[in-house]
Amino acid sequence: MKTLFEYLLPIPVAALGAWIGHLTGLPLGELVGAICAVTAVSKLGVPLRMPHPFVAVVQLLLGISVGSIVTVSMIGELGDVSILGGLLICMSVQILVGYHWLRRAEKWGHVESLLGSVPGAMAAVMTVTGGQGAASGRIAFVHIVRLLALLLVVTLIAGGHPGGAGPSVGSLHDYLLVLAPASAAVVTGYLLERLDMPAPYMLTGLLYTAAFNVEFPEAALHVPDPLALVALVLLGGLIGIRLKDITLKDVLRYVRAGLVVTALTFCATLLVAAAFSQVTGRPFLTLFMSWVPGGVEVMTAAALLLKLDPAFVMLNHVVRMSIIHASPAVLPKRLWQERPLA
């Protein structure tokens, strides 16, 4: 009974925090509120755990959310090698500078430095990091700091908060459309999980939903907002539990690490975007907005406000998120093995 209580309590706590965060009207207020509420309750000594099925649900919804944005036109545009090549080079530079700072200056381990330097996709990273504790907590903290800092920068560039369409409950048809690829993803993900593949439900959710969208473009599959909110609440609970061992001294160190990694990522994106602007002839600001880490919806909305080819911006961010979501499953396992600092 005690273990069941520890498993169930994080959900209402995270939901309450998400509701308070929503009332503030701040960007990503729901996620930040859920994280703060669960962390606060954990700090009071209340034992909280996040059962594996909940983590699998977050993985599944993340994969479906990214896959639902993929369209036939996007697949066609990938024929332009310069887009994919520039994006891959920019991501590689972003990871390289962030990794070396965390590894050499902050003295982090190899795996946590690698995960902490991944450009964006905090939710995907947090479902791969495994257990809780100091290592997982500081990875989460660096991503939170970078997420908020980059959101602030993009908002300033766009001349205000880049708003989008209001939340929608969705129709029964929307939920039934999600059910088909989600069911196939759960079955395949379970099989891949038995083979020790990292984040299997995220990969299968992404692939099945993208394939469904490409095969049946008229269906217009998208993830209803309530499902996205469920993922947000569960993710907030997951991160909050992992932050329970973070002290005030740790907070100051991790804020510094997050800000430095954000600045390095920002500068790397500026340089690569400037170089590729000269090579391809595309506007510098369009490339910068396409390659700087950020949420697909927020970056696309900002591109709309700035009249910067929103379709191109969305394509790059969808590809970036797809690469990050799929990489744990396709990269060699030795990459995720800890290495001593030379």
Side-chain angles (χ1 to χ4, degrees), residues 43 141 245-256:
K43 285 289 187 182
F141 215 95
D245 297 323
I246 301 294
T247 65
L248 180 59
K249 183 179 179 181
D250 293 332
V251 168
L252 298 178
R253 291 207 321 270
Y254 300 160
V255 166
R256 180 192 65 188

Side-chain angles (χ1 to χ4, degrees), residues 7-8 10-12 14-15 18 30-31 34-35 38 49-61 123 126-127 227-242:
Y7 280 146
L8 295 181
I11 307 305
E30 295 87 350
L31 178 61
I35 293 172
V38 173
R49 299 184 187 181
M50 185 62 70
H52 177 69
F54 289 172
V55 179
V57 169
V58 176
Q59 287 184 13
L60 181 65
L61 291 177
M126 293 314 300
T127 62
L227 291 182
L229 182 59
V230 168
L232 212 60
V233 169
L234 293 177
L235 179 63
L238 176 67
I239 296 174
I241 291 173
R242 295 181 178 187

Side-chain angles (χ1 to χ4, degrees), residues 213-305:
N213 254 11
V214 171
E215 185 68 25
F216 306 103
E218 69 283 353
L221 183 150
H222 72 280
V223 179
D225 289 331
L227 291 182
L229 182 59
V230 168
L232 212 60
V233 169
L234 293 177
L235 179 63
L238 176 67
I239 296 174
I241 291 173
R242 295 181 178 187
L243 292 178
K244 70 176 184 178
D245 297 323
I246 301 294
T247 65
L248 180 59
K249 183 179 179 181
D250 293 332
V251 168
L252 298 178
R253 291 207 321 270
Y254 300 160
V255 166
R256 180 192 65 188
L259 290 176
V260 171
V261 170
T262 301
L264 291 173
T265 301
F266 190 84
C267 293
T269 310
L270 285 173
L271 292 175
V272 176
F276 268 81
S277 178
Q278 296 296 318
V279 173
T280 64
R282 286 189 178 271
F284 160 74
L285 191 54
T286 299
L287 291 176
F288 173 75
M289 294 292 286
S290 299
W291 294 344
V292 71
V296 177
E297 298 84 357
V298 172
M299 304 305 293
T300 304
L304 279 169
L305 289 175

Side-chain angles (χ1 to χ4, degrees), residues 11-22:
I11 307 305
V13 172
L16 176 61
W19 177 68
I20 295 174
H22 174 75

